[in-house]
Amino acid sequence: MSIFEPDVLEKLFTFMEEHPQAGLVMPKVLYPDGNLQMLCKLLPTPFNLGDPAIFSIPRLDEKNE
């Protein structure tokens, strides 16, 4: 469970409004003891942003209904 400071969403929104060239923003996330959580994640690509059904390939052995 994550607990954010009361004004974190407003700060993120303000940052994005002031920096339109930024494409992605996220808050600093800390463990309960205050240590930084390293949230290493891949940036989204056009292939994983859309509906996965669009990019699915039907199997040849499945019956089409």
Side-chain angles (χ1 to χ4, degrees):
M1 177 177 175
S2 298
I3 300 173
F4 296 106
E5 294 178 12
D7 61 347
V8 70
L9 293 178
E10 289 83 5
K11 287 180 179 179
L12 292 174
F13 180 81
T14 301
F15 179 87
M16 292 299 288
E17 288 289 311
E18 293 174 355
H19 301 87
Q21 73 279 10
L24 181 67
V25 66
M26 64 183 295
K28 182 192 301 185
V29 180
L30 304 174
Y31 288 107
D33 66 1
N35 285 321
L36 178 65
Q37 287 190 34
M38 301 302 287
L39 302 176
C40 301
K41 301 192 186 294
L42 295 175
L43 294 175
T45 68
F47 291 107
N48 60 13
L49 285 177
D51 182 4
I54 295 172
F55 300 105
S56 66
I57 300 172
R59 292 180 47 163
L60 295 176
D61 59 347
E62 291 179 348
K63 293 181 180 178
N64 293 330
E65 296 181 29

